[in-house]
mmCIF file of all heavy atoms in Angstrom:
data_model
loop_
_atom_site.group_PDB
_atom_site.id
_atom_site.type_symbol
_atom_site.label_atom_id
_atom_site.label_comp_id
_atom_site.label_asym_id
_atom_site.label_seq_id
_atom_site.Cartn_x
_atom_site.Cartn_y
_atom_site.Cartn_z
ATOM 1 N N TYR P 4 86.680 92.116 -27.603
ATOM 2 C CA TYR P 4 85.820 90.939 -27.542
ATOM 3 C C TYR P 4 86.487 89.835 -26.728
ATOM 4 O O TYR P 4 87.682 89.609 -26.874
ATOM 5 C CB TYR P 4 85.487 90.474 -28.980
ATOM 6 C CG TYR P 4 84.724 91.537 -29.717
ATOM 7 C CD1 TYR P 4 85.387 92.575 -30.335
ATOM 8 C CD2 TYR P 4 83.354 91.554 -29.669
ATOM 9 C CE1 TYR P 4 84.688 93.626 -30.939
ATOM 10 C CE2 TYR P 4 82.619 92.570 -30.279
ATOM 11 C CZ TYR P 4 83.305 93.616 -30.909
ATOM 12 O OH TYR P 4 82.597 94.627 -31.466
ATOM 13 N N PHE P 5 85.682 89.179 -25.896
ATOM 14 C CA PHE P 5 86.245 88.153 -25.015
ATOM 15 C C PHE P 5 85.472 86.847 -25.248
ATOM 16 O O PHE P 5 84.384 86.845 -25.792
ATOM 17 C CB PHE P 5 86.107 88.576 -23.549
ATOM 18 C CG PHE P 5 84.683 88.638 -23.098
ATOM 19 C CD1 PHE P 5 84.090 87.535 -22.480
ATOM 20 C CD2 PHE P 5 83.915 89.778 -23.297
ATOM 21 C CE1 PHE P 5 82.751 87.574 -22.092
ATOM 22 C CE2 PHE P 5 82.592 89.821 -22.903
ATOM 23 C CZ PHE P 5 81.999 88.710 -22.304
ATOM 24 N N SER P 6 86.066 85.748 -24.759
ATOM 25 C CA SER P 6 85.440 84.440 -24.906
ATOM 26 C C SER P 6 84.572 84.104 -23.704
ATOM 27 O O SER P 6 84.935 84.382 -22.566
ATOM 28 C CB SER P 6 86.520 83.366 -25.056
ATOM 29 O OG SER P 6 85.978 82.102 -24.814
ATOM 30 N N THR P 7 83.432 83.419 -23.959
ATOM 31 C CA THR P 7 82.534 82.982 -22.870
ATOM 32 C C THR P 7 83.212 82.027 -21.905
ATOM 33 O O THR P 7 82.707 81.792 -20.835
ATOM 34 C CB THR P 7 81.296 82.255 -23.445
ATOM 35 O OG1 THR P 7 81.777 81.304 -24.418
ATOM 36 C CG2 THR P 7 80.332 83.212 -24.121
ATOM 37 N N ARG P 8 84.358 81.451 -22.302
ATOM 38 C CA ARG P 8 85.061 80.542 -21.369
ATOM 39 C C ARG P 8 86.231 81.214 -20.706
ATOM 40 O O ARG P 8 86.936 80.586 -19.909
ATOM 41 C CB ARG P 8 85.493 79.285 -22.098
ATOM 42 C CG ARG P 8 84.288 78.534 -22.675
ATOM 43 C CD ARG P 8 84.521 77.095 -23.032
ATOM 44 N NE ARG P 8 83.353 76.604 -23.760
ATOM 45 C CZ ARG P 8 83.264 75.427 -24.363
ATOM 46 N NH1 ARG P 8 84.275 74.580 -24.311
ATOM 47 N NH2 ARG P 8 82.146 75.073 -24.962
ATOM 48 N N GLY P 9 86.459 82.474 -21.019
ATOM 49 C CA GLY P 9 87.399 83.314 -20.268
ATOM 50 C C GLY P 9 88.856 82.941 -20.370
ATOM 51 O O GLY P 9 89.666 83.447 -19.601
ATOM 52 N N GLN P 10 89.218 82.050 -21.317
ATOM 53 C CA GLN P 10 90.625 81.638 -21.372
ATOM 54 C C GLN P 10 91.283 81.917 -22.722
ATOM 55 O O GLN P 10 92.242 81.242 -23.099
ATOM 56 C CB GLN P 10 90.709 80.146 -21.034
ATOM 57 C CG GLN P 10 90.476 79.893 -19.537
ATOM 58 C CD GLN P 10 90.022 78.463 -19.255
ATOM 59 O OE1 GLN P 10 90.306 77.566 -20.024
ATOM 60 N NE2 GLN P 10 89.284 78.303 -18.156
ATOM 61 N N SER P 11 90.750 82.906 -23.435
ATOM 62 C CA SER P 11 91.368 83.289 -24.707
ATOM 63 C C SER P 11 91.720 84.758 -24.633
ATOM 64 O O SER P 11 91.054 85.531 -23.924
ATOM 65 C CB SER P 11 90.373 83.046 -25.853
ATOM 66 O OG SER P 11 90.048 81.700 -25.946
ATOM 67 N N PRO P 12 92.731 85.183 -25.394
ATOM 68 C CA PRO P 12 93.040 86.614 -25.389
ATOM 69 C C PRO P 12 91.907 87.422 -25.972
ATOM 70 O O PRO P 12 91.153 86.908 -26.828
ATOM 71 C CB PRO P 12 94.274 86.694 -26.304
ATOM 72 C CG PRO P 12 94.383 85.401 -27.019
ATOM 73 C CD PRO P 12 93.620 84.385 -26.260
ATOM 74 N N GLU P 13 91.776 88.669 -25.533
ATOM 75 C CA GLU P 13 90.751 89.547 -26.117
ATOM 76 C C GLU P 13 91.176 89.937 -27.530
ATOM 77 O O GLU P 13 92.357 90.059 -27.813
ATOM 78 C CB GLU P 13 90.612 90.807 -25.250
ATOM 79 C CG GLU P 13 90.048 90.467 -23.873
ATOM 80 C CD GLU P 13 89.480 91.690 -23.170
ATOM 81 O OE1 GLU P 13 89.849 92.826 -23.561
ATOM 82 O OE2 GLU P 13 88.653 91.473 -22.290
ATOM 83 N N LEU P 14 90.178 90.110 -28.394
ATOM 84 C CA LEU P 14 90.470 90.410 -29.803
ATOM 85 C C LEU P 14 89.707 91.644 -30.227
ATOM 86 O O LEU P 14 88.752 92.094 -29.584
ATOM 87 C CB LEU P 14 90.052 89.226 -30.683
ATOM 88 C CG LEU P 14 90.718 87.865 -30.502
ATOM 89 C CD1 LEU P 14 90.176 86.868 -31.514
ATOM 90 C CD2 LEU P 14 92.232 87.980 -30.640
ATOM 91 N N LEU P 24 85.295 80.546 -33.799
ATOM 92 C CA LEU P 24 85.325 79.929 -32.492
ATOM 93 C C LEU P 24 86.592 80.365 -31.737
ATOM 94 O O LEU P 24 87.663 80.429 -32.289
ATOM 95 C CB LEU P 24 85.346 78.405 -32.658
ATOM 96 C CG LEU P 24 85.087 77.545 -31.450
ATOM 97 C CD1 LEU P 24 83.626 77.642 -31.034
ATOM 98 C CD2 LEU P 24 85.433 76.080 -31.744
ATOM 99 N N ALA P 25 86.436 80.663 -30.427
ATOM 100 C CA ALA P 25 87.626 81.037 -29.623
ATOM 101 C C ALA P 25 88.487 79.797 -29.379
ATOM 102 O O ALA P 25 87.987 78.677 -29.322
ATOM 103 C CB ALA P 25 87.153 81.637 -28.293
ATOM 104 N N PRO P 26 89.816 79.988 -29.208
ATOM 105 C CA PRO P 26 90.739 78.837 -29.023
ATOM 106 C C PRO P 26 90.368 78.008 -27.776
ATOM 107 O O PRO P 26 90.644 76.807 -27.753
ATOM 108 C CB PRO P 26 92.120 79.477 -28.861
ATOM 109 C CG PRO P 26 91.978 80.897 -29.238
ATOM 110 C CD PRO P 26 90.549 81.269 -29.330
ATOM 111 N N ASP P 27 89.726 78.587 -26.756
ATOM 112 C CA ASP P 27 89.348 77.801 -25.582
ATOM 113 C C ASP P 27 88.012 77.050 -25.788
ATOM 114 O O ASP P 27 87.464 76.472 -24.854
ATOM 115 C CB ASP P 27 89.308 78.683 -24.328
ATOM 116 C CG ASP P 27 88.295 79.831 -24.469
ATOM 117 O OD1 ASP P 27 87.488 79.818 -25.417
ATOM 118 O OD2 ASP P 27 88.308 80.738 -23.616
ATOM 119 N N GLY P 28 87.489 77.123 -27.012
ATOM 120 C CA GLY P 28 86.229 76.435 -27.295
ATOM 121 C C GLY P 28 85.011 77.292 -27.070
ATOM 122 O O GLY P 28 83.889 76.897 -27.353
ATOM 123 N N GLY P 29 85.207 78.496 -26.528
ATOM 124 C CA GLY P 29 84.077 79.375 -26.204
ATOM 125 C C GLY P 29 83.651 80.241 -27.401
ATOM 126 O O GLY P 29 84.195 80.111 -28.502
ATOM 127 N N LEU P 30 82.698 81.117 -27.156
ATOM 128 C CA LEU P 30 82.202 82.017 -28.210
ATOM 129 C C LEU P 30 82.485 83.453 -27.794
ATOM 130 O O LEU P 30 82.429 83.778 -26.605
ATOM 131 C CB LEU P 30 80.672 81.823 -28.381
ATOM 132 C CG LEU P 30 80.221 80.398 -28.680
ATOM 133 C CD1 LEU P 30 78.695 80.347 -28.851
ATOM 134 C CD2 LEU P 30 80.878 79.877 -29.937
ATOM 135 N N TYR P 31 82.754 84.290 -28.772
ATOM 136 C CA TYR P 31 83.064 85.681 -28.462
ATOM 137 C C TYR P 31 81.824 86.539 -28.193
ATOM 138 O O TYR P 31 80.752 86.327 -28.766
ATOM 139 C CB TYR P 31 83.849 86.315 -29.597
ATOM 140 C CG TYR P 31 85.280 85.822 -29.644
ATOM 141 C CD1 TYR P 31 85.680 84.891 -30.590
ATOM 142 C CD2 TYR P 31 86.198 86.278 -28.693
ATOM 143 C CE1 TYR P 31 86.980 84.431 -30.608
ATOM 144 C CE2 TYR P 31 87.500 85.818 -28.721
ATOM 145 C CZ TYR P 31 87.886 84.899 -29.681
ATOM 146 O OH TYR P 31 89.175 84.416 -29.691
ATOM 147 N N LEU P 32 82.013 87.497 -27.249
ATOM 148 C CA LEU P 32 80.986 88.499 -26.965
ATOM 149 C C LEU P 32 81.672 89.853 -26.817
ATOM 150 O O LEU P 32 82.860 89.901 -26.437
ATOM 151 C CB LEU P 32 80.283 88.146 -25.655
ATOM 152 C CG LEU P 32 79.195 87.086 -25.719
ATOM 153 C CD1 LEU P 32 78.763 86.643 -24.327
ATOM 154 C CD2 LEU P 32 77.971 87.611 -26.493
ATOM 155 N N PRO P 33 80.939 90.950 -27.083
ATOM 156 C CA PRO P 33 81.531 92.269 -26.860
ATOM 157 C C PRO P 33 81.693 92.562 -25.366
ATOM 158 O O PRO P 33 80.890 92.142 -24.563
ATOM 159 C CB PRO P 33 80.526 93.245 -27.489
ATOM 160 C CG PRO P 33 79.294 92.453 -27.768
ATOM 161 C CD PRO P 33 79.598 91.004 -27.637
ATOM 162 N N GLU P 317 75.462 78.809 -25.735
ATOM 163 C CA GLU P 317 76.509 79.156 -24.756
ATOM 164 C C GLU P 317 76.561 80.655 -24.435
ATOM 165 O O GLU P 317 76.862 81.044 -23.326
ATOM 166 C CB GLU P 317 77.876 78.668 -25.276
ATOM 167 C CG GLU P 317 78.957 78.860 -24.305
ATOM 168 C CD GLU P 317 80.273 78.104 -24.633
ATOM 169 O OE1 GLU P 317 80.194 77.118 -25.394
ATOM 170 O OE2 GLU P 317 81.321 78.534 -24.154
ATOM 171 N N TYR P 321 76.174 82.190 -20.621
ATOM 172 C CA TYR P 321 77.103 83.118 -19.996
ATOM 173 C C TYR P 321 76.335 84.184 -19.182
ATOM 174 O O TYR P 321 76.651 84.491 -18.013
ATOM 175 C CB TYR P 321 78.004 83.776 -21.063
ATOM 176 C CG TYR P 321 78.770 84.961 -20.574
ATOM 177 C CD1 TYR P 321 79.950 84.798 -19.897
ATOM 178 C CD2 TYR P 321 78.296 86.263 -20.810
ATOM 179 C CE1 TYR P 321 80.666 85.892 -19.418
ATOM 180 C CE2 TYR P 321 79.018 87.357 -20.350
ATOM 181 C CZ TYR P 321 80.203 87.168 -19.665
ATOM 182 O OH TYR P 321 80.875 88.250 -19.214
ATOM 183 N N THR P 328 82.591 82.969 -16.131
ATOM 184 C CA THR P 328 83.146 82.119 -17.222
ATOM 185 C C THR P 328 83.517 80.753 -16.722
ATOM 186 O O THR P 328 83.463 79.772 -17.473
ATOM 187 C CB THR P 328 84.368 82.806 -17.868
ATOM 188 O OG1 THR P 328 85.303 83.130 -16.850
ATOM 189 C CG2 THR P 328 83.986 84.050 -18.636
ATOM 190 N N VAL P 331 80.485 78.671 -16.856
ATOM 191 C CA VAL P 331 80.194 78.308 -18.262
ATOM 192 C C VAL P 331 81.028 77.082 -18.657
ATOM 193 O O VAL P 331 80.533 76.114 -19.192
ATOM 194 C CB VAL P 331 80.458 79.478 -19.229
ATOM 195 C CG1 VAL P 331 80.256 79.029 -20.673
ATOM 196 C CG2 VAL P 331 79.549 80.673 -18.917
ATOM 197 N N CYS P 332 82.332 77.141 -18.329
ATOM 198 C CA CYS P 332 83.198 76.006 -18.643
ATOM 199 C C CYS P 332 82.672 74.708 -18.043
ATOM 200 O O CYS P 332 82.610 73.672 -18.716
ATOM 201 C CB CYS P 332 84.625 76.224 -18.094
ATOM 202 S SG CYS P 332 85.521 77.510 -18.934
#
Side-chain angles (χ1 to χ4, degrees):
Y4 297 84
F5 68 92
S6 162
T7 47
R8 300 197 189 173
Q10 288 158 24
S11 298
E13 294 199 338
L14 298 181
L24 193 70
D27 60 11
L30 304 181
Y31 286 104
L32 280 169
E317 185 167 338
Y321 168 81
T328 53
V331 176
C332 291

